[in-house]
């Protein structure tokens, strides 16, 4: 079955889906995107994902092309046409098509919307995660990492650097020695006193939906959580480390730049949170 994409109001086979070379998303990465998980046909945490989409659009001064309810209908239709029950739905909105000029077009243009869907198998067993290796790399990104912008070149290069090193992810290190986040994940440690630590929201990190979910789940489970930045030294000294994202959920980090975290096994709290996250995906409504 060929995959179907929604492109500016039409559903087209993905192999033939196209946008103009004058689309500002193509020319300038002048756009934003969202990725939401889908399990058993339900879009998990739909509202926070759509809220973040609206916030990203506001951040780069693109008007919402249609009500969020209409985007939801398009997401559902794209999932249905691709027969995706378990996977992800991807939304991208660019400023639209105009002759190439850095400044916004003088006459208003219509933002361009693309929606695609992809199948994937979600984990069911928290204990099956054997952990992953990461590298650290200087944070060379722009100053508004809280916007989920399509301009991801620094993230792309960091992810490739990780892959070249045989690692799963790269965590960005800021000039002050603190870790901001991963190329496509939020970063966490559990310190020697069992405190869960993650960077507070701000322009240096994406407000991850999974980060928010894990904060809620950890709070409800009575875990001690501190939102503060942490350094590479604290990471290397941590009892546990893990990352969060929509597709990874919670994954244990067991090595950093070739050095082990604790005993190279996923920690107890990481496994607990991964289990809670798996259960959340299995039970969360679309609200
Ligand atoms: C830079 C960055 N940080 C964090 C995340 C995790 O965000 P979420 O949990 O919403 O997937 C992502 C996801 O793509 C990301 O690109």
């Amino acid at each position: 079955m060929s995959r179907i994409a929604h492109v500016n109001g039409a559903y087209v086979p993905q192999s033939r889906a196209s946008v103009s070379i004058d689309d500002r998303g193509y020319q300038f990465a002048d756009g934003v995107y969202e990725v939401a998980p889908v399990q058993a046909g339900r879009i998990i945490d739909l509202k926070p994902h759509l809220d973040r989409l609206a916030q990203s659009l506001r951040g780069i001064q693109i008007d919402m092309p249609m009500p969020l309810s209409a985007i939801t209908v398009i997401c559902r239709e794209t999932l249905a046409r691709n027969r995706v029950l378990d996977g992800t739905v991807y939304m991208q909105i660019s400023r639209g098509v105009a002759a190439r000029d850095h400044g916004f077009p003088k006459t208003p243009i219509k933002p361009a919307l693309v929606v695609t869907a992809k199948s994937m198998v979600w984990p069911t067993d928290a204990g099956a995660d054997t952990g992953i290796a990461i590298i650290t790399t200087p944070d060379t990104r722009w100053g508004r990492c809280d916007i989920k912008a399509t301009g991801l070149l620094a993230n792309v290069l960091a992810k490739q650097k990780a892959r070249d090193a045989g690692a799963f992810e790269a965590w960005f290190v800021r000039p002050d020695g603190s870790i901001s986040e991963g190329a496509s994940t939020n970063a966490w440690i559990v310190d020697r006193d069992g405190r869960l630590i993650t960077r507070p929201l701000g322009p240096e990190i994406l407000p991850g939906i999974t980060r928010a979910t894990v904060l809620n789940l950890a709070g409800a489970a009575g875990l001690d959580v501190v939102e503060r930045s942490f350094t590479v030294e604290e990471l290397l000294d941590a009892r546990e480390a893990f990352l969060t994202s929509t597709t990874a959920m919670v994954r244990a980090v067991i090595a950093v730049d070739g050095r082990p975290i604790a005993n190279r096994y996923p920690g107890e709290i990481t496994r607990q949170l991964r289990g809670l996250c798996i259960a959340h995906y299995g039970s969360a409504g679309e609200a």
Side-chain angles (χ1 to χ4, degrees), residues 33 49 52 141 148 155 181-186 206 208-211 244-246:
Y33 74 107
H49 279 283
R52 186 174 63 182
R141 300 173 303 158
K148 201 163 168 64
N155 308 57
E181 62 178 337
S184 63
T185 58
N186 287 112
L206 186 78
I209 305 302
T210 324
R211 175 189 176 281
T244 55
S245 79
T246 290

Short mmCIF file of all heavy atoms in Angstrom, two decimals, residues 33 49 52 141 148 155 181-186 206 208-211 244-246, ligand 1:
data_model
loop_
_atom_site.label_atom_id
_atom_site.label_comp_id
_atom_site.label_asym_id
_atom_site.label_seq_id
_atom_site.Cartn_x
_atom_site.Cartn_y
_atom_site.Cartn_z
N TYR A 33 7.19 22.24 13.14
CA TYR A 33 6.64 20.90 12.96
C TYR A 33 6.25 20.30 14.30
O TYR A 33 6.58 20.83 15.36
CB TYR A 33 7.63 20.00 12.22
CG TYR A 33 8.82 19.56 13.05
CD1 TYR A 33 8.92 18.25 13.53
CD2 TYR A 33 9.84 20.46 13.39
CE1 TYR A 33 10.01 17.85 14.29
CE2 TYR A 33 10.92 20.06 14.15
CZ TYR A 33 11.00 18.75 14.60
OH TYR A 33 12.07 18.36 15.37
N HIS A 49 0.47 18.48 22.18
CA HIS A 49 1.19 18.58 20.90
C HIS A 49 0.64 19.73 20.06
O HIS A 49 1.41 20.50 19.48
CB HIS A 49 1.12 17.25 20.14
CG HIS A 49 2.11 16.23 20.62
ND1 HIS A 49 3.44 16.29 20.29
CD2 HIS A 49 1.98 15.16 21.42
CE1 HIS A 49 4.09 15.29 20.87
NE2 HIS A 49 3.22 14.58 21.57
N ARG A 52 1.63 23.04 21.57
CA ARG A 52 3.03 23.39 21.26
C ARG A 52 3.18 23.85 19.81
O ARG A 52 3.96 24.75 19.50
CB ARG A 52 3.96 22.22 21.56
CG ARG A 52 5.44 22.57 21.41
CD ARG A 52 6.36 21.46 21.85
NE ARG A 52 6.21 20.26 21.05
CZ ARG A 52 6.88 19.13 21.25
NH1 ARG A 52 7.75 19.05 22.25
NH2 ARG A 52 6.69 18.08 20.50
N ARG A 141 23.52 25.55 18.48
CA ARG A 141 22.22 25.91 17.90
C ARG A 141 21.87 27.37 18.15
O ARG A 141 22.53 28.07 18.90
CB ARG A 141 21.15 24.99 18.49
CG ARG A 141 21.42 23.52 18.19
CD ARG A 141 20.45 22.62 18.91
NE ARG A 141 20.48 22.83 20.35
CZ ARG A 141 19.50 22.51 21.18
NH1 ARG A 141 18.42 21.95 20.71
NH2 ARG A 141 19.61 22.73 22.47
N LYS A 148 9.79 24.59 18.04
CA LYS A 148 10.04 23.34 17.31
C LYS A 148 10.15 23.68 15.82
O LYS A 148 9.23 23.45 15.02
CB LYS A 148 8.94 22.31 17.60
CG LYS A 148 9.38 20.86 17.31
CD LYS A 148 8.45 19.88 17.96
CE LYS A 148 8.64 18.45 17.50
NZ LYS A 148 9.93 17.85 17.79
N ASN A 155 21.26 19.98 14.83
CA ASN A 155 20.78 18.70 15.39
C ASN A 155 21.15 17.54 14.46
O ASN A 155 21.54 16.46 14.90
CB ASN A 155 19.27 18.74 15.58
CG ASN A 155 18.81 19.95 16.37
OD1 ASN A 155 19.09 21.08 15.99
ND2 ASN A 155 18.12 19.73 17.47
N GLU A 181 20.18 19.62 26.10
CA GLU A 181 19.30 18.50 25.74
C GLU A 181 19.98 17.72 24.64
O GLU A 181 21.12 18.01 24.27
CB GLU A 181 17.94 19.03 25.27
CG GLU A 181 18.04 19.90 24.02
CD GLU A 181 16.70 20.40 23.50
OE1 GLU A 181 15.66 19.79 23.78
OE2 GLU A 181 16.72 21.41 22.78
N GLY A 182 19.28 16.71 24.11
CA GLY A 182 19.83 15.92 23.02
C GLY A 182 19.43 16.48 21.67
O GLY A 182 18.63 17.42 21.58
N ALA A 183 19.99 15.90 20.61
CA ALA A 183 19.67 16.34 19.25
C ALA A 183 18.18 16.19 18.96
O ALA A 183 17.60 16.98 18.22
CB ALA A 183 20.49 15.55 18.23
N SER A 184 17.55 15.17 19.55
CA SER A 184 16.10 15.01 19.40
C SER A 184 15.46 14.44 20.66
O SER A 184 14.45 13.73 20.59
CB SER A 184 15.79 14.11 18.19
OG SER A 184 16.30 12.82 18.41
N THR A 185 16.06 14.76 21.80
CA THR A 185 15.57 14.21 23.08
C THR A 185 15.84 15.19 24.22
O THR A 185 16.71 16.06 24.10
CB THR A 185 16.32 12.90 23.42
OG1 THR A 185 17.72 13.17 23.50
CG2 THR A 185 16.07 11.80 22.40
N ASN A 186 15.12 15.06 25.31
CA ASN A 186 15.44 15.80 26.54
C ASN A 186 16.33 14.93 27.43
O ASN A 186 16.28 13.70 27.36
CB ASN A 186 14.16 16.22 27.27
CG ASN A 186 13.44 17.35 26.56
OD1 ASN A 186 12.35 17.17 26.03
ND2 ASN A 186 14.04 18.53 26.51
N LEU A 206 13.81 22.34 23.95
CA LEU A 206 12.43 22.15 23.51
C LEU A 206 11.59 21.72 24.71
O LEU A 206 12.03 20.86 25.49
CB LEU A 206 12.38 21.05 22.43
CG LEU A 206 11.00 20.89 21.80
CD1 LEU A 206 10.78 22.01 20.77
CD2 LEU A 206 10.86 19.54 21.12
N GLY A 208 9.70 19.43 25.77
CA GLY A 208 9.30 18.09 25.33
C GLY A 208 7.98 17.67 25.97
O GLY A 208 7.78 17.86 27.17
N ILE A 209 7.13 17.08 25.16
CA ILE A 209 5.85 16.58 25.69
C ILE A 209 6.13 15.38 26.59
O ILE A 209 5.50 15.20 27.64
CB ILE A 209 4.88 16.20 24.54
CG1 ILE A 209 4.68 17.40 23.57
CG2 ILE A 209 3.55 15.70 25.10
CD1 ILE A 209 4.16 18.66 24.19
N THR A 210 7.09 14.55 26.19
CA THR A 210 7.44 13.38 27.01
C THR A 210 8.09 13.84 28.32
O THR A 210 7.87 13.24 29.37
CB THR A 210 8.39 12.44 26.24
OG1 THR A 210 8.02 12.44 24.87
CG2 THR A 210 8.33 11.03 26.79
N ARG A 211 8.88 14.92 28.23
CA ARG A 211 9.47 15.51 29.45
C ARG A 211 8.36 15.88 30.43
O ARG A 211 8.43 15.55 31.62
CB ARG A 211 10.30 16.75 29.06
CG ARG A 211 10.87 17.53 30.23
CD ARG A 211 11.48 18.85 29.74
NE ARG A 211 11.95 19.65 30.87
CZ ARG A 211 11.17 20.38 31.65
NH1 ARG A 211 9.85 20.43 31.44
NH2 ARG A 211 11.68 21.06 32.66
N THR A 244 14.40 11.35 27.03
CA THR A 244 12.97 11.20 26.74
C THR A 244 12.65 11.84 25.39
O THR A 244 13.24 12.86 25.02
CB THR A 244 12.07 11.88 27.80
OG1 THR A 244 12.45 13.26 27.94
CG2 THR A 244 12.16 11.18 29.14
N SER A 245 11.74 11.21 24.67
CA SER A 245 11.18 11.81 23.45
C SER A 245 9.93 11.01 23.09
O SER A 245 9.72 9.90 23.60
CB SER A 245 12.16 11.79 22.28
OG SER A 245 12.20 10.52 21.68
N THR A 246 9.16 11.58 22.19
CA THR A 246 7.92 10.94 21.74
C THR A 246 8.17 9.51 21.26
O THR A 246 7.43 8.61 21.60
CB THR A 246 7.31 11.80 20.61
OG1 THR A 246 6.84 13.01 21.20
CG2 THR A 246 6.17 11.09 19.91
C1 LIG B 1 15.62 18.98 20.30
C2 LIG B 1 14.56 18.11 20.89
N1 LIG B 1 14.46 18.03 22.23
C3 LIG B 1 13.54 17.24 22.81
C4 LIG B 1 12.66 16.48 22.05
C5 LIG B 1 11.64 15.60 22.74
O1 LIG B 1 10.37 16.19 22.62
P1 LIG B 1 9.04 15.29 22.68
O2 LIG B 1 9.07 14.59 23.99
O3 LIG B 1 7.94 16.27 22.58
O4 LIG B 1 9.12 14.35 21.52
C6 LIG B 1 12.72 16.54 20.66
C7 LIG B 1 11.80 15.76 19.84
O5 LIG B 1 11.85 15.73 18.65
C8 LIG B 1 13.70 17.38 20.06
O6 LIG B 1 13.79 17.46 18.73
#
